[in-house]
Amino acid sequence: MKYRRIVLIIVFAIGISLRLYNFSNRITFGPEQAISLTTSGKMITEKISLLGDPNLQRINSYGQRIYTGALFSYSLIPLQILFNYDPMLITLFFCLVNIFTGAVVYKLVKLIYGDITAVFASTYFLLSWIPVKHSLFIWNQN
């Protein structure tokens, strides 16, 4: 039982270091993240929209636009106010949520399937490249 706890601590330490190593140079800040932050920033400074803002990147041949969902923009508003519109700190928040998700995976799998499977599941989640990649950008609605 003791070695499982040691393995779990090592896995979490490696998972945290994979996400935070050279963090400021590895984060991804693309157009989707910029649109999300701009939309929620407009909701703070101008007006709140129930429909959301039109997505400038997605227009079909008839000129119809897809609107970005306002619900996701609502969730970014407190983060922008809390972190003073700094995308680096907002990205760090999503990184910490990703690490917290690894702990939740461990607890849920332990509750349902047992200790060994929980260690394996959290190891897979924390060391897999997809969750590591998702911890390096501001999540968006897509």
Side-chain angles (χ1 to χ4, degrees):
M1 185 67 174
K2 205 174 212 180
Y3 73 90
R4 289 185 196 140
R5 188 168 288 163
I6 292 171
V7 167
L8 191 63
I9 291 170
I10 290 171
V11 165
F12 267 90
I14 292 171
I16 291 169
S17 65
L18 280 174
R19 285 160 176 80
L20 297 180
Y21 172 75
N22 203 10
F23 182 75
S24 62
N25 292 328
R26 293 177 50 221
I27 63 172
T28 303
F29 189 75
E32 292 288 335
Q33 287 79 24
I35 289 171
S36 297
L37 290 177
T38 303
T39 302
S40 62
K42 283 181 185 176
M43 288 185 177
I44 295 171
T45 58
E46 295 173 11
K47 61 180 180 175
I48 290 184
S49 168
L50 295 177
L51 183 59
D53 268 1
N55 191 326
L56 302 175
Q57 293 177 331
R58 296 189 176 96
I59 300 173
N60 67 11
S61 60
Y62 297 110
Q64 298 167 332
R65 293 184 180 195
I66 298 175
Y67 280 78
T68 58
L71 185 62
F72 179 74
S73 298
Y74 294 149
S75 67
L76 277 179
I77 288 173
L79 294 175
Q80 284 191 314
I81 293 171
L82 181 67
F83 298 125
N84 199 23
Y85 298 92
D86 186 2
M88 177 91 71
L89 294 176
I90 296 172
T91 306
L92 182 63
F93 172 79
F94 282 107
C95 180
L96 296 176
V97 167
N98 193 275
I99 293 167
F100 176 73
T101 304
V104 170
V105 165
Y106 174 77
K107 287 290 189 183
L108 286 177
V109 174
K110 181 180 178 183
L111 183 69
I112 297 170
Y113 294 108
D115 218 16
I116 294 173
T117 309
V119 170
F120 177 74
S122 60
T123 301
Y124 184 73
F125 179 83
L126 289 169
L127 303 183
S128 178
W129 70 274
I130 294 175
V132 171
K133 176 184 165 192
H134 283 285
S135 67
L136 294 174
F137 62 86
I138 297 171
W139 298 341
N140 54 43
Q141 66 212 6
N142 298 322

